[in-house]
């Protein structure tokens, strides 16, 4: 699925927003995730997508916790307005020929989760083409702190009206190893698949671990090869001129702000590593490269970028724009 795109920006023709909807030829299944706060926005956007895009499904974002998005009535804020949500789903269903999915959180705050009631309401609306609901096991105010509540995700799945068609419930939150995934699959009412998010940013080889059911002690050189591929794709997309190098470096550094969080299987004392765990300060790897990849310091991420893209300009600084609560 593509990165979240804001409906109003798409309708205004924003090139950076439309870039989020581009499908690569290698993607055999591709969906787009849209955030909007009102039925007319979703409906008009769906009409444009039906006409202009080659997509396999559209996902409504009811999970984004960012203040700017929620102040517009979009993201998790839409969970608070059933009438708007119903109108949005009905408008999209009339405009699109592809399946619809919904991504939401447990509710606005941890103490009063509402997703189990909202999903039951959505079930009662009987929206044509609605194929699944994804539940992130945290509230909007939690953002990414504490652990995802999989007990509650199970409650959402089993709270549906048994006399009506069941909406497939797909869980999301803290899946970081194949052992965690195997435990999740045993839960009642939840689909045997799951949504990956930060785990795949920190461990891009996570899908391989899940498929092969193993803890992969991937080497630093293998991880570097992944970074080389990323840089190659970046330069192919943005160009190899200075602007292309700058764009590629910026996105690489943002990714490295996630990648450093992985603790190699061969170094960790107790398996599996939990999502919110970080490498101990001054932890040494089994090679200089692995030690560099374990660093939480921006200066070391810049060094890795220089290995792949050459020296940075004098006075270059980098500060991650990523502002999740779990990031320090």
């Amino acid at each position: 699925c593509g990165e979240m795109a804001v409906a109003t920006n798409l309708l205004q023709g924003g090139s950076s927003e439309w870039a989020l909807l581009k499908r690569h030829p290698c993607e055999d299944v591709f969906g787009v995730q849209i955030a909007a706060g009102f039925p007319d926005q979703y409906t008009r956007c769906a009409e444009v997508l039906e006409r202009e895009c080659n997509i396999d499904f559209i996902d409504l974002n009811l999970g984004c916790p960012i203040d700017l998005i929620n102040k517009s009535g979009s993201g998790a804020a839409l969970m608070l307005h059933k009438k708007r949500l119903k109108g949005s789903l009905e408008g999209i269903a009339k405009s699109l020929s592809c399946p619809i999915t919904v991504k939401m959180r447990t509710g606005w705050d941890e103490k009063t989760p509402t997703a189990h009631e909202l999903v039951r309401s959505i079930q009662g609306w009987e929206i044509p083409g609605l194929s699944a609901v994804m539940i992130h096991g945290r509230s909007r105010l939690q953002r990414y702190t504490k652990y995802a509540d999989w007990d509650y995700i199970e409650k959402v799945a089993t709270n549906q009206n048994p006399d009506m068609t069941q909406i497939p419930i797909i869980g999301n939150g803290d899946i970081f190893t194949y052992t965690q995934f195997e435990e999740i699959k045993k839960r009642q009412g939840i689909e045997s698949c799951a949504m990956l998010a930060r785990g795949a940013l920190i461990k891009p080889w996570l899908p391989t671990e899940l498929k092969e059911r193993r803890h992969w002690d991937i080497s630093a050189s293998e991880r570097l090869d992944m970074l080389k591929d990323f840089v190659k794709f970046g330069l192919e997309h943005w160009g190899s001129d200075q602007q292309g190098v700058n764009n590629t470096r910026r996105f690489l550094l943002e990714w490295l702000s996630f990648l450093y969080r992985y603790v190699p299987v061969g170094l960790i004392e107790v398996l599996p590593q939990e999502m919110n765990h970080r490498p101990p300060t001054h932890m040494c790897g089994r090679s200089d490269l692995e030690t560099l990849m374990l660093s939480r310091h921006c200066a070391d991420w810049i060094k890795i970028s220089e290995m792949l893209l050459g020296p940075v300009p004098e006075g270059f600084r980098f500060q991650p724009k990523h502002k999740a609560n779990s990031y320090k």
Side-chain angles (χ1 to χ4, degrees):
C1 185
E3 189 176 348
M4 182 191 79
V6 178
T8 51
N9 294 343
L10 291 172
L11 293 170
Q12 291 167 4
S15 58
S16 61
E17 213 72 20
W18 277 97
L20 301 174
L21 310 187
K22 287 185 178 179
R23 181 176 191 157
H24 193 275
C26 73
E27 293 176 303
D28 55 349
V29 177
F30 179 73
V32 296
Q33 187 182 79
I34 307 298
F38 297 90
D40 65 311
Q41 295 171 349
Y42 265 124
T43 302
R44 285 185 290 141
C45 190
E47 291 170 350
V48 175
L49 293 176
E50 178 73 8
R51 186 172 63 248
E52 301 292 339
C53 296
N54 175 25
I55 56 176
D56 298 303
F57 67 94
I58 181 173
D59 182 57
L60 278 69
N61 184 302
L62 275 65
C64 181
I66 297 173
D67 290 342
L68 182 64
I69 296 295
N70 281 264
K71 286 177 181 177
S72 69
S74 308
L78 190 55
M79 290 185 68
L80 305 176
H81 302 280
K82 282 188 182 181
K83 187 175 179 180
R84 286 189 207 164
L85 176 58
K86 183 181 180 182
S88 298
L89 286 168
E90 290 174 339
I92 290 174
K94 291 176 182 177
S95 305
L96 282 178
S97 57
C98 65
I100 305 165
T101 61
V102 177
K103 167 76 183 299
M104 67 176 66
R105 286 181 174 252
T106 59
W108 191 257
D109 63 76
E110 185 181 5
K111 295 180 180 178
T112 53
T114 57
H116 65 290
E117 298 172 348
L118 184 56
V119 168
R120 192 177 176 105
S121 294
I122 293 172
Q123 182 192 22
W125 299 338
E126 298 184 303
I127 303 296
L130 180 62
S131 300
V133 172
M134 280 79 80
I135 308 292
H136 180 178
R138 293 182 176 87
S139 69
R140 185 261 168 173
L141 295 182
Q142 278 182 277
R143 293 177 68 92
Y144 304 98
T145 56
K146 300 185 179 179
Y147 291 110
D149 188 347
W150 280 90
D151 290 335
Y152 182 73
I153 296 175
E154 187 172 356
K155 178 180 178 179
V156 173
T158 56
N159 189 60
Q160 296 187 66
N161 186 337
D163 298 325
M164 300 187 69
T165 302
Q166 302 294 290
I167 301 174
I169 302 299
I170 299 172
N172 167 235
D174 299 341
I175 299 174
F176 204 49
T177 65
Y178 88 89
T179 51
Q180 293 166 329
F181 181 56
E182 293 298 321
E183 287 300 313
I184 285 166
K185 289 198 295 185
K186 298 175 184 177
R187 290 184 173 271
Q188 183 181 357
I190 300 176
E191 293 296 299
S192 59
C193 62
M195 175 176 279
L196 305 180
R198 283 182 301 156
L201 280 173
I202 300 169
K203 289 170 55 175
W205 56 92
L206 179 57
T208 301
E209 288 193 352
L210 300 186
K211 182 178 180 180
E212 299 180 0
R213 302 181 65 190
R214 67 184 176 107
H215 298 297
W216 183 3
D217 190 11
I218 187 170
S219 68
S221 60
E222 288 174 307
R223 293 165 66 192
L224 184 64
D225 286 340
M226 292 182 180
L227 298 182
K228 289 178 181 178
D229 285 340
F230 181 89
V231 166
K232 182 186 74 171
F233 296 144
L235 295 177
E236 286 176 356
H237 180 71
W238 283 298
S240 56
D241 59 2
Q242 190 58 53
Q243 186 61 44
V245 170
N246 292 346
N247 281 334
T248 302
R249 191 189 306 275
R250 177 166 64 88
F251 280 90
L252 174 63
L253 289 170
E254 292 288 353
W255 191 26
L256 287 167
S257 74
F258 284 93
L259 289 172
Y260 91 90
R261 305 177 190 187
Y262 167 67
V263 180
V265 170
L267 298 179
I268 195 169
E269 293 183 2
V270 179
L271 285 171
Q273 178 186 354
E274 299 288 348
M275 174 77 76
N276 289 338
H277 289 178
R278 300 287 183 272
T281 305
H282 307 306
M283 186 177 198
C284 291
R286 293 162 292 188
S287 66
D288 290 342
L289 178 58
E290 191 168 68
T291 300
L292 191 64
M293 288 179 165
L294 285 164
S295 174
R296 64 184 62 195
H297 301 297
C298 294
D300 289 324
W301 307 340
I302 293 172
K303 288 180 184 177
I304 295 173
S305 81
E306 290 183 314
M307 294 168 60
L308 302 167
L309 289 165
V312 298
E314 187 175 350
F316 179 86
R317 296 287 185 273
F318 171 73
Q319 183 68 34
K321 69 173 184 177
H322 170 42
K323 294 198 169 39
N325 289 26
S326 59
Y327 180 81
K328 300 294 182 186

